Every structure is written in C-alpha cells, then in structure tokens.
Amino acid sequence: MRGLMMDMPLSIPALLRRAESVHPHKAIVSRLVDRSVMRTTYAETLDGARRLAAALRALGVQPGDRVATFCWNHVPHLHAYYGIPASGAILHTLNIRLHAEELAYIVTHADDAVIIVDKVLWPVFEPVRARIGHRRIIVISDDHDIPPGTLHYGDLLAAQDDAPPFEDMDEHTGAVLCYTSGTTGRSKGVLYSHRALVLHSFAEALPDMLDLAEASRVLAVVPMFHANAWGLPFACALVGATQILPGPYLDAASIVSLLESERVTHTAGVPTIAHALLAHLDQHPGHDLSALRLMLVGGAAMPETTIRAFDDRHGVKVIHAWGMTETAPLGTISRVPSELADAPADEQYAWRATQGRPGPFVEVRARAEDGALVPWDDQAMGELEVRGPWVASAYYPGDDAPDRWTDDGWFRTGDIVTIEKTGRLTIHDRAKDLVKSGGEWISTVTLEAVLLEHEAIAEVVVIAVPHERWGERPLALVVATPGCRPTLPDVRQHLDGRVARWWYPDAVEVVDSLPRTGVGKYQKHRLREIYRDYFEESAPQ
Ligand code: AMP
C-alpha cells in the first residue's frame, strides 16, 4: 500500500550499524583472566564481530546454523553476541555451570555446528567434547597452546581483513538460542528472533524500565550464558551505553572494585549476587558507589529486607524484576508509581518487593485451578500466563511441550501469582514448589523471605514434604549464620504475627549448604527428593 512507512526489518544488524557509526568511540571495558582491565571501543568490538561473521562463513557456517559459546562475560563473547546473529547464524549460549551430561544433551539437541570455548574453561569443556561427536571447536586463547584439533580464535579473525558491513535480514529469523536452566526438569531450547530482541532492547531501555542512555555505564554480573545476559548487550548497543564486562571474576570483591573504579551506573544480577555484594559492602565500608543508580535484581525473589538494607546502608537503589528464559527475559519490573511518591516508606518498600508490573507489549493474566481466570484483586492466586512479542511460542525446534501454551497461545509460566488492580504481580511460588497443606496453599517464597530476617539464618529454603495427615507440610532447611543454631521454637516465635500459624514449618533442619542450579537458584526439586520421607521417619507432627 502506498503512503505507508518503509518496511525495514527490526534486525540486530541495523542496531549494530548505528552503534558503529554513531557511537564508535564509546568504551567497552573488560576484566581479563590475569585480572588486568582492558579498554576497547564499540568500533573495535564491532570490527571483531564482523570478522567473526566472515570467519564463520569461511568455515562453511550457513544461515540458521547454530554456533555455540562456552564463555565468560568478555569482549570475544560480545563479538559472538553481535557477529553470529549478524552472519545469519544462531548464537547458542551454553551454560558453563551445567553438568557435562546435560551440556552434551543440549549441544546434540541443538546440533551446534561450531562451539567457541574459552581456554580457561577447557577443563570443564573437555568432558563435554568427549560426548558430542565431531564438531568444530574454536578456542579463545592468548597463546597458541590450544588443544589438538581445535582452531585458534584470534587467527581466524586476523585472516578476515575484508569483512563486509552488517546487512539486514528478515526480522523473523532466529538470532539467539538459549536453553532453560532446568530447575524443574530437562533443559528446553528457546529461540529468540531478531525482531524479539530488537523490541526487547527498546522496551528495556525505557525510563520506567532500566532507564538506559548513552551516558549509562553498565556492568552485567548476570552471565552472558543466561537469558541473553538479560538483553543488556543488545540494549546497550542500541543506546550506545558503555559496557563493563567482569570476565571470570564474579566474586563480590572483584565486582565492587569494578563498580567503583568504572563509575558504573547500572548493574544486574540474581539475588545470590546481590546478597554477596551486600555482605561485602557491610564488611568493607568506604567504597564510593555514588555513580550507581540502579541494581536490577531478578531471576528469584528479592526480599524486602535486602532492598531496604541497600538503601539504608549503601544508598544503592535495587529494582526488582521478573522474567524467564522463555520471556527473553524481561517480563515485569517493580517501579513505584508516581502516585505513591509521597506514600509512607513501608508502603513503597512493600511495592518494591513485589515483582512489579508488565513492561510494554507484555500481557499477563492468571488462572485458578478450576480453569477460571482470577480477578486482579491482589488476593486470588493462580498460575501466571503471559504473551508478548518476546515471549516464546514453542520450544526449539518445535512442539516439545505443547502443554506449556494455552489454546489461545499464552505461555503458562508455572509461577503462582496474585495480581493487583493495575497489573502488579506478586509471585508466591513455582507451581511445583507450593506446599499444599489440607488442600490449602502455603507460599514457600513468603516463608523464606520472613525467615531470612531472623539473625541466626543466613540462607533458607522451604520445601513441601509429604505428610500423612495434611498431604504436605513445610520443612525449613537452614544454613545458620556463624556461631548460631536456630531451633524450631526460635523460628516459630519469629513467625508469630507475621504469617498464619498453620504456615509455620513443622521442622527446621540445619544444613551446611544448599544445592544450587547453574545460575545460582536453589535446587528445590533435589531437596524435595532428598527429604521426601522426612515426616515419615521423624514422627509426624
Ligand atoms: P529462568 O528461566 O531460569 O530465568 O527461570 C525463570 C523462573 O525464575 C521464573 O519462572 C520464576 O519462577 C523465577 N523468577 C524469576 N524472576 C523472579 C522474581 N523476581 N521473583 C521470584 N521468582 C522469579
């Protein structure tokens, strides 16, 4: 039809062309394996990305082929983020923390043509290589001492002096593939299109989302192998923000030193990281984090006490967000609305500890067990369903788990939520993690948040354990703070007046540590397995 706009695809190459021409001098900073800090620019990084794209084509990689990465957050991984989708191939980020068996399953399932591996990660990758048959392996290494039969990353790029410019492609083609972390079963592939990632970047940068701009200095602690590093490499390229990459050093001391020395304005990570940063800052006061405007925390629930502690003790603003691998990942974000700007602090904190309201284009609803949609009254619990242009419509390579989508195409998240009248979500649990006691649901997430406020409790996971009389009852597994040993009466006293009495855990078990998944979430399914006979063995309460 005449008179309409140009039909230009929303593809990653268009976003990169602008970064290359408008922001070539902007910095990309990366910590190296030897702990030194390297400085480069968008111009050099995007030159590397174009060279990688050309090198992959020269190796015979075709549009649509999967090229995997097994890397930390650093500049060559950014080349891959940009260059692989720009070449028409699909960037497949492998989670370096998974077991070799699971990784081998994922590489075989995705049928990766090439895998780019950090030399420092070779000992972790070697057992995977033995299980995946013949695939081309490229090793990122400063020297030429690389395993036999592999290709040298730097040499491949050096040979591509005539790498062509970034060319547009159909926005509906696949750009990035990421497998879920398998908290509740076998990992599943989620394939993001160019269009989805470009729109996600636009939404993410908005003032009421992450508020990213050219002047922002962004450090993603979230690994680049987890849900597109929450979209930050693409959103930063879109606005021309400076990127700071932590390399292999994700410990609190290394991160805090980068936050301070690089005057970072935005950082992002899971609650485990946030808790480690808080403990470090408490123990080592005096850091200047005055540039830090926003710490995005998501991937698991962020307790209100931690949000307050960052404000009160360190002047750092924590923003809580919810998302999933299947939602690219940004779904909701908890920004206090302007009408509450003068509300009492308690009310504002209570809002900030919820998972917040959906971003633009993301739609939410929740369905009760009887199949009816629940009202938005902040009371009725149901399973959250979402839809939007960056929400998966199937698992890769297709209908692997059709039951995760409703007949009208909404994604069934497995998260149990209440929705407030303006769409603000509170997550009460994963469907599989709820405790169903006497037919009523107990939120383990709420119990955990309250228990964490107890000074003798450093970490806590509450799980459902089969119980003869009630069906299931909650068991609290606790890592004690040094020198303490919380007991069941302590815990019950602490819960008095905070949650309903029938929610109190029936038992408290003090443990040395709690198992986590590759992205730092507690493996509740494993704990449920280990403790499944707990109430049979100890006399039922
Ligand atoms: P993943 O795909 O590994 O990112 O896991 C997604 C799941 O993490 C969601 O379905 C939620 O159960 C959980 N999750 C993510 N963000 C939050 C949050 N802010 N609060 C509570 N749970 C969350």
Side-chain angles (χ1 to χ4, degrees):
M1 191 184 295
R2 278 195 301 181
L4 286 177
M5 306 299 123
M6 290 182 190
D7 191 16
M8 283 184 69
L10 299 176
S11 72
I12 289 168
L15 188 152
L16 301 178
R17 281 201 303 273
R18 176 167 188 271
E20 209 171 22
S21 56
V22 178
H23 303 294
H25 56 285
K26 289 299 305 284
I28 311 272
V29 180
S30 182
R31 202 191 274 287
L32 303 181
V33 175
D34 67 4
R35 287 199 160 270
S36 63
V37 172
M38 179 196 87
R39 282 166 202 285
T40 178
T41 59
Y42 269 94
E44 282 173 5
T45 305
L46 291 168
D47 176 61
R50 285 190 292 101
R51 284 171 182 266
L52 175 60
L56 291 171
R57 278 191 213 105
L59 287 176
V61 172
Q62 299 291 318
D65 283 355
R66 272 74 57 212
V67 177
T69 52
F70 196 78
C71 299
W72 292 107
N73 292 18
H74 49 40
V75 172
H77 210 170
L78 265 192
H79 296 158
Y81 257 67
Y82 300 148
I84 295 170
S87 79
I90 293 167
L91 162 71
H92 175 197
T93 50
L94 290 169
N95 182 340
I96 61 173
R97 300 212 178 100
L98 296 180
H99 187 270
E101 288 291 351
E102 187 67 11
L103 279 163
Y105 163 80
I106 291 172
V107 169
T108 313
H109 188 261
D111 195 15
D112 296 322
V114 178
I115 307 173
I116 302 175
V117 182
D118 269 352
K119 186 172 159 191
V120 283
L121 289 171
W122 190 259
V124 190
F125 184 72
E126 210 164 11
V128 183
R129 190 191 191 191
R131 292 168 161 92
I132 54 175
H134 177 74
R135 287 168 208 277
R136 237 191 258 268
I137 314 283
I138 301 174
V139 176
I140 302 171
S141 168
D142 290 340
D143 55 35
H144 279 80
D145 179 18
I146 57 172
T150 64
L151 299 165
H152 187 269
Y153 184 80
D155 286 357
L156 287 178
L157 264 59
Q160 297 298 332
D161 281 337
D162 296 320
F166 296 115
E167 300 265 358
D168 279 335
M169 61 193 57
D170 180 348
E171 65 183 36
H172 295 289
T173 49
V176 181
L177 176 65
C178 184
Y179 278 66
T180 60
S181 52
T183 330
T184 52
R186 193 109 236 194
S187 300
K188 297 207 164 48
V190 180
L191 179 59
Y192 313 96
S193 64
H194 281 256
R195 174 187 155 84
L197 294 174
V198 169
L199 290 174
H200 184 273
S201 306
F202 269 94
E204 182 159 86
L206 286 174
D208 281 338
M209 302 294 279
L210 265 62
D211 192 16
L212 293 170
E214 184 268 340
S216 305
R217 303 176 59 81
V218 182
L219 190 163
V221 187
V222 51
M224 289 169 78
F225 53 76
H226 185 216
N228 309 313
W230 297 355
L232 288 168
F234 298 117
C236 286
L238 175 78
V239 299
T242 297
Q243 297 186 60
I244 294 107
L245 305 162
Y249 301 104
L250 301 183
D251 58 287
S254 305
I255 297 296
V256 168
S257 97
L258 276 181
L259 293 176
E260 186 171 21
S261 62
E262 296 301 326
R263 307 284 300 151
V264 168
T265 58
H266 294 65
T267 189
V270 291
T272 321
I273 295 277
H275 285 120
L277 293 181
L278 182 63
H280 182 84
L281 291 170
D282 284 348
Q283 283 155 20
H284 304 89
H287 287 286
D288 175 8
L289 298 187
S290 55
L292 189 58
R293 292 179 32 229
L294 185 156
M295 180 187 292
L296 183 74
V297 180
M302 185 63 176
E304 187 182 317
T305 39
T306 318
I307 300 176
R308 280 179 187 264
F310 268 109
D311 267 349
D312 295 346
R313 306 208 286 267
H314 305 290
V316 171
K317 185 167 182 186
V318 170
I319 299 283
H320 188 197
W322 168 90
M324 305 180 72
T325 306
E326 289 90 337
T327 66
L330 205 51
T332 67
I333 191 158
S334 199
R335 292 273 193 183
V336 178
S338 57
E339 61 265 28
L340 289 187
D342 298 324
D346 283 356
E347 202 177 323
Q348 300 201 28
Y349 278 115
W351 182 289
R352 286 173 61 191
T354 70
Q355 281 69 20
R357 300 191 285 188
F361 300 120
V362 177
E363 293 178 51
V364 299
R365 66 187 189 188
R367 195 179 293 280
E369 268 197 314
D370 63 6
L373 292 178
V374 303
W376 287 19
D377 60 3
D378 217 10
Q379 298 287 325
M381 281 198 208
E383 183 187 357
L384 174 65
E385 298 176 357
V386 289
R387 69 173 181 187
W390 53 83
V391 177
S393 62
Y395 285 117
Y396 181 80
D399 57 280
D400 231 12
D403 57 321
R404 293 298 298 273
W405 284 267
T406 62
D407 290 342
D408 56 349
W410 291 58
F411 175 65
R412 300 178 56 208
T413 64
D415 286 335
I416 303 298
V417 298
T418 48
I419 310 181
E420 169 267 8
K421 63 179 188 300
T422 64
R424 190 196 69 195
L425 301 183
T426 304
I427 298 215
H428 295 271
D429 241 318
R430 297 281 309 162
K432 289 183 180 154
D433 292 341
L434 279 168
V435 182
K436 196 140 197 196
S437 173
E440 299 286 341
W441 282 346
I442 297 175
S443 161
T444 62
V445 170
T446 306
L447 274 178
E448 287 160 7
V450 178
L451 288 173
L452 258 188
E453 291 170 16
H454 193 292
E455 58 191 13
I457 296 179
E459 289 180 58
V460 57
V461 159
V462 177
I463 54 168
V465 174
H467 189 282
E468 204 179 294
R469 175 157 176 214
W470 298 107
E472 286 175 351
R473 288 296 300 158
L475 164 66
L477 301 165
V478 166
V479 177
T481 43
C484 298
R485 200 163 179 88
T487 61
L488 184 59
D490 294 341
V491 161
R492 291 195 159 169
Q493 197 181 12
H494 173 75
L495 292 173
D496 262 347
R498 290 183 158 101
V499 298
R501 289 188 73 82
W502 64 275
W503 278 33
Y504 291 8
D506 282 23
V508 172
E509 192 68 23
V510 178
V511 294
D512 291 339
S513 65
L514 292 162
R516 292 177 187 274
T517 66
V519 293
K521 298 186 192 194
Y522 293 119
Q523 285 181 310
K524 288 196 171 182
H525 65 287
R526 239 185 94 193
L527 291 166
R528 278 201 307 270
E529 234 3 87
I530 298 171
Y531 289 95
R532 74 172 358 269
D533 300 326
Y534 189 87
F535 290 136
E536 273 174 32
E537 286 159 5
S538 52
Q541 317 270 316

